[in-house]
Amino acid sequence: MSIHVAIIGAYGSAGSAVASELVDEPNIELSLIDDGDPGGGLCILQGCMPSKELLSAAAHRYQVRHDDRLTDGIPEVDLGVTVAEKDDRTLGWAKHRRNQIHEWAEHDDVEFYDESARFVDDRTLSVGGKTIDPDYIVVATGSQVNIPDIPGIEEVNYMTSSDVLDANEFSDSGIVLGFGYVGLEMAPYLVEAGDMDITVVEHDDQPLDEADPEFGDEILEIYREDFDIDIITNAQEERINKTETGVELLLSTPDGQKTVTGDELFCFTGRQANIKHLGLEAANIDLDGAWVKQTMQARDNDSIYVVGDANEHEPILHVAKEQGQTAAKNILNDVHGEPLEPYTNIHHHIVFSGLGIYPFARVGDTPTTAKAAGHDVVVATRQASDDGIFKSKNVPKGLARLVVDRTDGTILGYQGLHYHADTMAKTAQVLVELGLDVREVPDRAYHPTLPELLDGLFREAATKMSE
């Protein structure tokens, strides 16, 4: 007996992960549905991959601008060339993804629909002009830009991160709303590549909610000193007005009302699930609260799985892929009458802040989350400037932190905001996920390298364990 699985959003990272797990399974019939133009998934076309193309160009200019050893002036970023090369590469990667989906569609038991899909009832989909009745439906439709509900915003023009990725020129000044992942990556780009004067609105004391406050404070210092960005903290937007030259933003701050102006308004205010067009109400699914379970099933319908950004659990690329794999495995488990497995993961996030020169990485627990989980912890912290190699490479700012269980030495978490913190995150992931004792990590510095920072953390934590 054949089992029919429909995947809505097959081009994306989560949807293609589901398809890859099921396409070669016997007795599985697949309907792959995606009307994306050109198609290939958010990360490839409008997310982490194209943004790194742009950040890398701006990072080169930043390094020249901050290195007194280099002469002959500061180069300018050619936005036309940068965007064209970005488009060429990302469209190539997206084509590779599409080709894979179309190759699978050549199988006898797989059909691809270049159409939109909508629920007719709890088991039926309308796809183009056709109705299908799958045994299981996977929703992997990703996310869309979230525009804040601020009075006056509908009356002004604004740019999102997607607009910035395609921009060949910028105005002289701008106001940035949103200082999360997207804002942290895009604001320095606007300064370095766009030569803009930027004002950022931050709702809290500092950015990086998932990090210890010291890391948010370090971000503020780097952005203010190295990029000359005006960051207004503890501010709330009250109203946006259109002016003759741009926009005016009225803010409420602890010191009273404040007004800022700029030529452009940038909305880097997060993303929301791209599900409104699906008609989930026809499937009797209530979207209030935690409507998707850890098994990736919809709370109100066990035959519907929701993966990736669409479920709003954790909008991160590798999480989307892992959730897709979990959903596929649980569909097979359900078919075979076996228990379903919840999706769990070790916290593993990277933000390419400071143009990727000063990225932030967090793997596992912070001291706060570790204590909340019942651990008695040892905490080791080092400044990047404690290790001369960072000064030698002219990237002296930042810090790193290790969290260890005091009882048995298990490494619980790592935070880094420094040059190459993104690459060190893999080492930290291995240490945390294997549950290694910090005292058993080899202390071997083969010559002055950036990971000596990690060696210093290991030594400090091991010493504190013996005290």
Side-chain angles (χ1 to χ4, degrees):
M1 177 181 176
S2 179
I3 300 298
H4 184 189
V5 180
I7 303 172
I8 310 174
Y11 281 145
S13 297
S16 61
V18 178
S20 68
E21 294 287 328
L22 296 179
V23 68
D24 292 323
E25 286 289 330
N27 303 318
I28 295 291
E29 176 188 350
L30 289 180
S31 290
L32 306 179
I33 306 167
D34 203 309
D35 64 346
D37 182 17
L42 172 67
C43 180
I44 294 177
L45 291 171
Q46 298 179 356
C48 48
M49 297 173 79
S51 67
K52 302 312 167 290
E53 291 269 343
L54 271 58
L55 295 184
S56 65
H60 293 311
R61 182 178 188 271
Y62 168 88
Q63 289 180 300
V64 171
R65 191 163 61 85
H66 285 82
D67 196 330
D68 294 335
R69 300 169 297 182
L70 304 178
T71 61
D72 292 337
I74 300 170
E76 296 299 317
V77 175
D78 188 323
L79 292 173
V81 172
T82 301
V83 171
E85 290 189 354
K86 177 265 297 184
D87 288 343
D88 182 60
R89 279 190 277 262
T90 55
L91 288 174
W93 293 326
K95 183 179 180 180
H96 178 75
R97 172 72 63 76
R98 294 195 303 273
N99 287 346
Q100 180 64 82
I101 298 297
H102 298 163
E103 181 180 317
W104 288 335
E106 294 177 3
H107 295 203
D108 292 338
D109 52 2
V110 180
E111 186 167 0
F112 176 73
Y113 295 87
D114 184 10
E115 304 282 357
S116 61
R118 187 173 180 85
F119 281 86
V120 175
D121 56 38
D122 61 353
R123 190 65 69 84
T124 306
L125 291 174
S126 173
V127 185
K130 184 177 180 180
T131 297
I132 61 175
D133 298 284
D135 298 289
Y136 299 92
I137 299 171
V138 179
V139 175
T141 46
S143 61
Q144 60 187 6
V145 173
N146 175 63
I147 302 301
D149 185 18
I150 302 172
I153 197 167
E154 70 282 352
E155 301 171 5
V156 301
N157 295 322
Y158 54 80
M159 297 180 71
T160 68
S161 59
S162 296
D163 298 319
V164 171
L165 293 178
D166 292 334
N168 288 315
E169 61 180 359
F170 294 101
S171 300
D172 293 333
S173 64
I175 301 170
V176 167
L177 304 182
F179 208 29
Y181 289 11
V182 178
L184 285 168
E185 294 188 1
M186 289 289 100
Y189 175 75
L190 295 173
V191 170
E192 205 67 54
D195 197 23
M196 299 188 74
D197 293 327
I198 292 295
T199 299
V200 172
V201 179
E202 165 59 39
H203 291 172
D204 301 317
D205 290 337
Q206 67 273 116
L208 284 177
D209 293 343
E210 69 180 77
D212 293 336
E214 294 90 335
F215 292 88
D217 290 339
E218 186 77 2
I219 280 282
L220 291 177
E221 181 176 333
I222 291 171
Y223 279 42
R224 285 168 172 161
E225 293 186 359
D226 287 16
F227 297 100
D228 198 25
I229 295 176
D230 182 15
I231 305 170
I232 305 173
T233 58
N234 295 298
Q236 299 292 327
E237 302 90 348
E238 289 190 350
R239 181 169 181 82
I240 298 172
N241 296 318
K242 186 175 182 179
T243 68
E244 290 185 3
T245 58
V247 294
E248 173 189 72
L249 175 64
L250 277 62
L251 298 171
S252 173
T253 76
D255 298 325
Q257 193 177 74
K258 184 178 180 68
T259 301
V260 295
T261 60
D263 298 326
E264 297 280 357
L265 179 68
F266 298 93
C267 286
F268 302 146
T269 44
R271 304 186 68 84
Q272 59 183 341
N274 183 29
I275 55 175
K276 291 182 180 179
H277 63 290
L278 295 175
L280 284 165
E281 63 278 1
N284 297 317
I285 292 179
D286 183 356
L287 300 178
D288 289 338
W291 66 283
V292 179
K293 299 186 288 188
Q294 289 302 116
T295 55
M296 299 294 101
Q297 295 167 295
R299 177 190 59 205
D300 303 325
N301 190 328
D302 283 349
S303 66
I304 297 176
Y305 289 74
V306 188
V307 293
D309 289 9
N311 64 34
E312 296 185 302
H313 280 202
E314 194 174 6
I316 304 294
L317 171 63
H318 66 269
V319 171
K321 291 181 177 179
E322 292 170 1
Q323 288 180 351
Q325 293 163 354
T326 298
K329 292 174 183 177
N330 279 341
I331 288 172
L332 295 176
N333 286 342
D334 194 52
V335 168
H336 299 136
E338 299 175 358
L340 274 60
E341 301 177 2
Y343 171 72
T344 58
N345 72 314
I346 298 292
H347 190 107
H348 188 169
H349 290 175
I350 294 172
V351 184
F352 289 87
S353 44
L355 299 176
I357 302 296
Y358 291 108
F360 170 77
R362 175 186 159 189
V363 177
D365 281 310
T366 67
T368 299
T369 62
K371 291 174 183 176
H375 296 279
D376 182 17
V377 301
V378 165
V379 179
T381 303
R382 287 180 69 84
Q383 301 296 318
S385 57
D386 291 341
D387 294 280
I389 188 65
F390 286 89
K391 294 179 181 179
S392 297
K393 291 182 178 290
N394 203 41
V395 283
K397 299 185 178 182
L399 71 159
R401 177 164 293 167
L402 195 70
V403 184
V404 173
D405 186 286
R406 187 182 299 275
T407 304
D408 58 13
T410 299
I411 299 173
L412 301 174
Y414 160 82
Q415 295 173 83
L417 173 63
H418 53 77
Y419 189 58
H420 280 196
D422 53 327
T423 57
M424 294 190 197
K426 185 62 182 182
T427 298
Q429 179 197 10
V430 172
L431 297 172
V432 171
E433 295 203 18
L434 293 182
L436 296 183
D437 186 328
V438 69
R439 295 164 295 187
E440 296 179 357
V441 177
D443 184 1
R444 185 176 299 113
Y446 38 94
H447 55 75
T449 60
L450 293 172
E452 283 193 36
L453 179 144
L454 295 178
D455 293 328
L457 289 175
F458 301 149
R459 285 194 295 268
E460 181 180 336
T463 299
K464 288 184 176 181
M465 285 287 301
S466 64
E467 294 174 351

